[in-house]
Amino acid sequence: MKKIVTIVGARPQFIKAAVISRLIKSEYSENFQEILVHTGQHYDQNMSDVFFDEMQIPRPDINLEIGSGSHGKMTGRMLEKIEDVLVKEDPHFLMVYGDTNSTIAGALAASKLHIPVIHVEAGLRSFNMKMPEEQNRILTDHISNYLFCPTQTAIDNLLKEGITEGVFKTGDIMLDASLYYRKLLKTIESKLSIPQKKFILATLHRAENTDDPEKLNNIISALSESSFPVVLPIHPRTRKMMQNIGVKLSGNVNLIDPVGFFDMLRLETACSMIVTDSGGVQKEAYFFKKPCITMREQTEWVETVESGWNILVGSDKDKILDAINNFKSSEIYPELYGNGNAGQEILDVLLKV
Ligand code: UD1
Ligand code: UDP
């Protein structure tokens, strides 16, 4: 029996961990024991508990209750507390997902204790070192022992940085999650009202957009003037920034609280187009064959752009509106992210090492 300490903390990590934690509890229960540690980076009911409640993710064994703060403070506090957990639990592996502050804190704490680090969603790059996520993912990859990559692009990125050992291509864990939970949609009740006519689903939380008042204003006025109604489940960071700078919304935009994953799947499958700056949502747009307009200058998920399903427009109001009116996705739909078995492939590799 191998013991894994898994670190999660932010919304997309609950969704990714749901896949592997469920597999460990069901098909791999004789091979692995998982200690699930929630750093507390996200803590609102609709940013955290809703995922554990609805998605049958095992409750975290430990919640470090770090909460919000500056990058240094948050990461430093996590590092200290994760180290305590690792010393006590003495696991065979430490598993982290993606590119958040919880990811780098977990990886660093384990690496310094010589505990092998597993990085799921390794090798992604935006080539924009100003992004906290780019810093987190590069540093995490360089101290990881097992790097599970969703795409060949990710493997190539690692190769260019000299990382070749312990690298595996498994497909994207988020595809596993989308396929699995989509099948269960009917089992979860919903209070969400889905517009009956054509609508755009939008999400917005990336620091580069929310923390620059001019960019935030541009984006909100583009959405306000779009030719289709917009449903915008709003990240708490974005709501706070909009309140701080007094951004005005038109009646065209239906601002709602963040939703659970099942309601997000309902919105993603019902909408006619997605406008986002989220990494995960760009891919879900692809999984559900929706044209995607990405309000960033770069994306880590370059295949979605190359295949003609995603367009990068930054925060320029005219570019966003032009894309809403004119962007047509490709007729060709290549399989970019594997077959939805990333979770099993990852655990099968770990069984053998
Ligand atoms: C974090 C990740 C980002 C990821 C996103 C997923 C880092 C550096 N960033 O960004 O990569 O895409 O999570 O959603 O780790 N807040 C609340 N309630 C909460 C959580 C946050 O009110 O439950 C507010 C706080 O004001 C906080 C702000 O949101 O200061 C930002 O939260 P933080 O976790 O620092 O970054 P995210 O923007 O959520
Ligand atoms: N998501 C959700 N509810 C929301 C917004 C997003 O369940 O109100 C899901 C979304 O479907 C995707 C994940 O959260 O699976 C993406 O997380 P987020 O956009 O916060 O972070 P990123 O992927 O950009 O790191």
Side-chain angles (χ1 to χ4, degrees):
M1 178 79 86
K2 289 174 178 163
K3 192 195 264 192
I4 304 177
V5 166
T6 298
I7 307 290
V8 292
R11 172 166 69 187
Q13 292 166 335
F14 310 139
I15 295 164
K16 292 164 199 171
V19 174
I20 291 192
S21 299
R22 177 174 42 78
L23 283 170
I24 290 179
K25 282 262 183 295
S26 53
E27 292 167 43
Y28 293 81
S29 61
E30 290 182 6
N31 310 104
F32 298 107
Q33 178 201 358
E34 182 179 48
I35 312 283
L36 190 60
V37 179
H38 188 328
T39 62
Q41 178 173 351
H42 286 176
Y43 44 84
D44 289 348
Q45 194 277 340
N46 54 24
M47 294 293 289
S48 176
D49 280 1
V50 66
F51 299 97
F52 292 89
D53 292 343
E54 289 186 348
M55 296 170 74
Q56 301 154 346
I57 310 171
R59 286 274 144 196
D61 298 284
I62 300 166
N63 190 323
L64 304 178
E65 296 183 343
I66 299 295
S68 303
S70 65
H71 289 283
K73 198 181 272 180
M74 195 196 280
T75 314
R77 285 180 178 161
M78 288 176 191
L79 189 59
E80 192 177 349
K81 291 198 175 183
I82 294 170
E83 184 179 64
D84 289 345
V85 173
L86 293 176
V87 168
K88 180 166 170 275
E89 296 293 343
D90 190 22
H92 295 86
F93 304 109
L94 177 287
M95 173 142 29
V96 286
Y97 295 92
D99 53 22
T100 73
N101 290 345
S102 299
T103 312
I104 181 62
L108 192 53
S111 175
K112 293 208 179 246
L113 292 169
H114 303 161
I115 295 167
V117 176
I118 303 163
H119 187 201
V120 178
E121 212 178 72
L124 277 298
R125 297 289 181 267
S126 67
F127 302 100
N128 175 359
M129 268 307 271
K130 286 202 173 136
M131 286 180 76
E133 292 86 355
E134 185 77 352
Q135 300 168 8
N136 291 340
R137 54 174 94 97
I138 291 178
L139 295 172
T140 300
D141 282 340
H142 281 263
I143 53 175
S144 290
N145 305 77
Y146 302 100
L147 299 98
F148 292 105
C149 298
T151 59
Q152 187 59 41
T153 314
I155 294 201
D156 295 344
N157 289 337
L158 292 177
L159 181 64
K160 282 183 208 140
E161 292 173 23
I163 304 176
T164 51
E165 266 179 51
V167 175
F168 303 88
K169 184 175 159 197
T170 56
D172 186 12
I173 192 92
M174 292 200 71
L175 178 60
D176 298 28
S178 290
L179 296 179
Y180 180 83
Y181 288 101
R182 193 186 176 181
K183 277 197 233 137
L184 302 183
L185 264 185
K186 285 200 188 92
T187 63
I188 299 287
E189 270 182 50
S190 174
K191 294 197 177 88
L192 184 74
S193 77
I194 304 242
Q196 291 311 305
K197 50 187 175 184
K198 260 183 149 186
F199 73 97
I200 292 173
L201 170 65
T203 77
L204 174 63
H205 76 281
R206 198 62 56 202
E208 69 217 47
N209 287 329
T210 59
D211 294 4
D212 179 330
E214 197 185 329
K215 287 185 176 179
L216 186 56
N217 261 313
N218 286 345
I219 291 170
I220 295 296
S221 48
L223 297 177
S224 293
E225 289 173 32
S226 111
S227 32
F228 303 103
V230 176
V231 177
L232 176 58
I234 195 83
H235 190 291
R237 119 178 255 147
T238 317
R239 190 185 279 282
K240 282 175 195 161
M241 289 310 289
M242 285 169 66
Q243 279 160 355
N244 286 351
I245 62 169
V247 174
K248 297 264 178 314
L249 274 177
S250 80
N252 195 42
V253 182
N254 182 10
L255 199 70
I256 60 174
D257 283 333
V259 294
F261 191 52
F262 284 98
D263 278 345
M264 194 63 184
L265 291 176
R266 288 186 179 95
L267 288 166
E268 287 174 337
T269 48
C271 71
S272 54
M273 175 178 271
I274 291 182
V275 180
T276 190
D277 61 6
S278 155
V281 177
Q282 285 175 65
K283 276 177 300 157
E284 285 159 4
Y286 190 77
F287 302 156
F288 299 128
K289 301 190 177 158
K290 303 292 172 171
C292 186
I293 296 172
T294 297
M295 300 180 291
R296 290 184 47 200
E297 302 293 343
Q298 315 87 14
T299 180
E300 301 76 37
W301 305 102
V302 286
E303 311 78 16
T304 58
V305 176
E306 286 159 6
S307 64
W309 284 83
N310 187 5
I311 182 170
L312 298 175
V313 293
S315 56
D316 183 277
K317 180 179 166 185
D318 293 334
K319 280 196 193 165
I320 298 171
L321 281 171
D322 183 50
I324 288 176
N325 291 326
N326 299 311
F327 179 59
K328 299 270 176 298
S329 49
S330 171
E331 312 252 301
I332 301 164
Y333 185 79
E335 189 184 83
L336 299 178
Y337 294 110
N339 53 14
N341 278 326
Q344 259 145 350
E345 288 187 33
I346 290 168
L347 290 173
D348 285 342
V349 168
L350 295 176
L351 270 184
K352 291 186 207 129
V353 296

